[in-house]
Amino acid sequence: VLSVSVSDLMNIDTGKQIKEARIKAKLTQEKLAQKAGISVFTLQKYESGDRNPKIESLQKIANALGISITQLKSM
């Protein structure tokens, strides 16, 4: 459905990619979390690498950034 394999998703540094995309979009953690419907604490955990987002959360973040998951992966 997402046109990306699970193995491709697992081979990225998800937290780093989220942070880079957020900074590129000129959003604070608070603003991105609000737009994605997740807590700031959770977003901080993702960006620091302490927690990996489930595919549903990753999709919410990508949507909030106005990009696809595959674009997020290639950042």
Side-chain angles (χ1 to χ4, degrees), residues 26-49:
K26 298 180 180 170
L27 294 172
T28 64
Q29 287 180 330
E30 292 78 11
K31 195 64 161 173
L32 178 56
Q34 180 183 32
K35 288 179 75 167
I38 62 174
S39 74
V40 175
F41 176 79
T42 298
L43 181 58
Q44 289 170 341
K45 290 291 187 184
Y46 294 160
E47 288 191 2
S48 70

Side-chain angles (χ1 to χ4, degrees), residues 2 27 32 35-37 55-72:
L2 299 173
L27 294 172
L32 178 56
K35 288 179 75 167
I55 192 72
E56 297 84 5
S57 295
L58 196 57
Q59 185 64 59
K60 288 179 181 180
I61 292 167
N63 289 345
L65 290 165
I67 61 175
S68 68
I69 288 179
T70 52
Q71 287 173 303
L72 185 61

